[in-house]
Amino acid sequence: MADETYRDWPFFDDRHRQLAIELEAWAEAQVADDDGADVDAACRELVRRLGAAGWLAHAVAGRAHGGAGDVIDTRAICLLREILARHSGLADFAFAMQGLGSGAISLAGSAAQQARYLPRVARGEAIAAFALSEPEAGSDVAALACKAERDGAGHVLNGCKTWISNGGIADFYVVFARSGEAPGARGISAYIVDAGRPGLEIAERIDLIAPHPLARLEFTNCRLPADALIGRGGEGFKIAMRTLDVFRTSVAAAALGYARRAFDAALERATTRPMFGRKLADFQLTQARLAQMATTIDSAALLTYRAAWQRDRRRGVTREAAMAKWAATEGAQQVIDAALQLWGGLGLVSGQTVERLYREIRALRIYEGASEVQQIVIARDLLAAAAA
Ligand code: COS
C-alpha cells in the first residue's frame, strides 16, 4: 500500500483529499497495466473512460466548458497524475495529454475556441495534442522553424513537428509555428489544427521504450481559418511556456507515482526475499537503500506540491515548477533503479513491475523540458532575482 500520509500536508484542501480517495478507488477497479499490444486503441479507450468518469474535467478550465473549475487546479491535476501513474503509465499519459494538448486553449483561447474544443476534451470525446518540438528545436523552442504565413484572412502552415504525443490519434493539434512578427521567441504563434485537415500528414509513427502514441507530423500548405489562431500573433512562445508551467509540475507528480510504486515493490521484495538465512530487509545495506528511496520520494513530493500550491495561489511558479520536475524525475529514476537492484535478476524480466517502471520513467527526464533545461530555468530565475 503506497504511502498516503502526504495528503495531510497543508498544501491540500479537503476537496483534494476527497478527490484522491475517489480516484484511488476508481483506478483500483478500472485501470491496469497495458500489455502494449495496441497502444492507440488502449489510449482511446482510456480517454473515453477517464472522460465518462469525470476525471478529464480537471484537465480543462471553465465550468461553462465542462471544466471542474473556472481555473486550472494544479494540485488536482498533480494528484490525478500521481495516482494514475502509480496504476498505469498509459492512463497517466491519456489524462496528461488531454490537459497539455488543450492547455493553450484553456489559458489563452477565445470564448468560441473554448466552447468548441474544451467540452469535448473534458468528456473524452476529442483527443488533444501539443505540437511544439521539431527535429532541431526541442530544448531551444525559440529556434522552431515550422512556418505560418497569412493567407487572406487565414493562415497556411509549412514544416515539421516531431515527438508529438497522441500524433495519429488526436482529433486536434495545438501547433506552434513561426509567424514572423519578430525574430526568436517573439515571432511564434499558436494555432489549432483539426486532424484530417488537408496538408497535415502523419509522416511517421515513432516507437519508444515505453510505448505510447507518438508521431512526426508534416505540414504542406496546410490552410487554416482565421479563427485557428490562439491569442494574438507573436504570443505563442509565452502561451507555450505558461502551459508548460502547469504541466511540468504535473510531470513531477507522475514521476512520484512511478517512484511510489517502485518503492512498494522494493519493500515487498526486501521483506519477503530470504538471503543468507535472513530476509533481505535485515541487512543494513538494504535498510540504507530503503531510507534513501523514501527520503528521495518525500523530497520530490514536497517540491511538487509546493509548486502546485504556489501556482494555485496565482504566484509565479516558473522556478518552482522547474525544481519540482528536475528533482522528481531524476529522483524517481534513482528510486526505480534501486528497486530493480533489490529485485535482482527477476527485475529484468519483461513485464515485471520494476522492469516496466524502469522503461516508463526514462522519458520524463527528457520531455517537457529536459533536466538540463530545468537547471537553466532555475539558475536564470535566481540570477534575475539577485540582480533585481
Ligand atoms: N511564462 C510566461 N512568459 C515566459 C515564461 C513563462 N514561464 N518563460 C519565458 N517567458 C517569456 C520571457 O519573459 C520573454 O518575454 P519577453 O520577450 O517579453 O522578454 C520570452 O518569453 C522569451 O523568454 P526567454 O528569453 O527566456 O527565451 P529563451 O529562448 O531563452 O528560452 C528556455 C529558453 C530554455 C527557457 C525555453 O526554450 C524552454 O523552456 N525550453 C524547453 C522547452 C520544452 O519544454 N520543450 C519540450 C517540448 S514539449 S514535450
Side-chain angles (χ1 to χ4, degrees):
M1 184 66 193
D3 179 12
E4 293 174 355
T5 55
Y6 72 98
R7 295 181 198 157
D8 293 332
W9 290 352
F11 296 123
F12 300 109
D13 297 336
D14 282 344
R15 71 195 150 87
H16 297 117
R17 300 186 180 101
Q18 190 56 34
L19 172 85
I21 291 168
E22 289 168 14
L23 176 64
E24 193 70 59
W26 183 84
E28 192 64 43
Q30 299 286 331
V31 176
D33 285 321
D34 177 61
D35 63 7
D38 184 345
V39 284
D40 288 9
C43 199
R44 282 195 189 97
E45 174 61 13
L46 279 163
V47 169
R48 192 192 63 74
R49 290 195 350 232
L50 286 163
W55 303 118
L56 289 177
H58 296 277
V60 307
R63 284 194 180 87
H65 308 307
D70 283 331
V71 290
I72 286 178
D73 181 336
T74 324
R75 289 166 293 172
I77 288 183
C78 288
L79 281 170
L80 272 146
R81 288 202 66 180
E82 177 178 336
I83 293 169
L84 289 173
R86 189 154 46 69
H87 286 85
S88 151
L90 201 63
D92 165 59
F93 170 86
F95 174 82
M97 292 308 141
Q98 289 297 90
L100 183 69
S102 65
I105 302 175
S106 280
L107 293 172
S110 66
Q113 288 168 337
Q114 292 178 341
R116 178 158 178 218
Y117 290 96
L118 297 183
R120 290 187 292 137
V121 171
R123 291 195 298 264
E125 293 167 7
I127 295 182
F130 181 77
L132 181 65
S133 297
E134 298 182 6
E136 293 181 5
S139 292
D140 183 5
V141 176
L144 64 81
C146 181
K147 206 166 163 185
E149 290 171 298
R150 297 297 298 203
D151 174 39
H155 317 269
V156 56
L157 292 186
N158 278 290
C160 172
K161 291 284 162 188
T162 193
W163 315 119
I164 307 309
S165 290
N166 281 342
I169 67 165
D171 293 287
F172 69 92
Y173 300 82
V174 168
V175 179
F176 296 85
R178 179 156 301 290
S179 43
E181 290 79 3
R186 292 182 175 188
I188 293 169
S189 302
Y191 303 88
I192 307 171
V193 183
D194 291 322
R197 188 162 275 284
L200 163 57
E201 182 200 354
I202 308 304
E204 177 192 9
R205 289 296 301 261
I206 305 167
D207 291 329
L208 296 186
I209 55 172
H212 67 254
L214 193 76
R216 176 167 63 85
L217 317 180
E218 289 283 351
F219 296 94
T220 311
N221 294 325
C222 179
R223 292 182 196 287
L224 307 178
D227 64 1
L229 178 69
I230 302 177
R232 287 200 300 266
E235 285 183 346
F237 185 91
K238 288 184 186 177
I239 292 173
M241 291 299 127
R242 285 170 57 207
T243 308
L244 288 169
D245 276 349
V246 179
F247 288 95
R248 278 180 181 159
T249 309
S250 79
V251 177
L256 261 176
Y258 290 147
R260 288 195 201 279
R261 186 167 180 189
F263 185 74
D264 285 353
L267 266 185
E268 178 201 328
R269 176 75 171 170
T271 52
T272 55
R273 164 80 162 149
M275 194 172 278
F276 300 111
R278 303 160 78 185
K279 291 283 189 295
L280 194 51
D282 293 329
F283 295 92
Q284 287 191 341
L285 276 175
T286 309
Q287 292 168 15
R289 183 161 274 158
L290 292 172
Q292 174 83 54
M293 293 161 83
T295 306
T296 300
I297 289 173
D298 268 11
S299 320
L302 283 161
L303 283 172
T304 301
Y305 289 109
R306 188 266 301 249
W309 166 80
Q310 187 161 318
R311 185 181 178 283
D312 288 343
R313 298 177 75 214
R314 311 282 167 268
R315 302 276 172 87
V317 76
T318 302
R319 183 201 307 181
E320 291 76 8
M323 284 180 169
K325 183 181 186 278
W326 179 37
T329 56
E330 296 288 337
Q333 180 89 60
Q334 290 163 16
V335 168
I336 292 166
D337 189 61
L340 194 150
Q341 195 71 14
L342 284 168
W343 275 80
L346 252 186
L348 299 170
V349 175
S350 291
Q352 282 286 341
T353 296
V354 287
E355 180 270 344
R356 184 186 286 273
L357 292 167
Y358 194 83
R359 289 183 292 106
E360 294 271 14
I361 189 60
R362 192 62 185 85
L364 278 65
R365 291 167 56 204
I366 296 173
Y367 71 59
E368 288 181 49
S371 292
E372 293 74 11
V373 166
Q374 308 310 329
Q375 290 171 77
I376 291 170
V377 170
I378 296 162
R380 278 186 182 185
D381 196 68
L382 290 170
L383 292 169

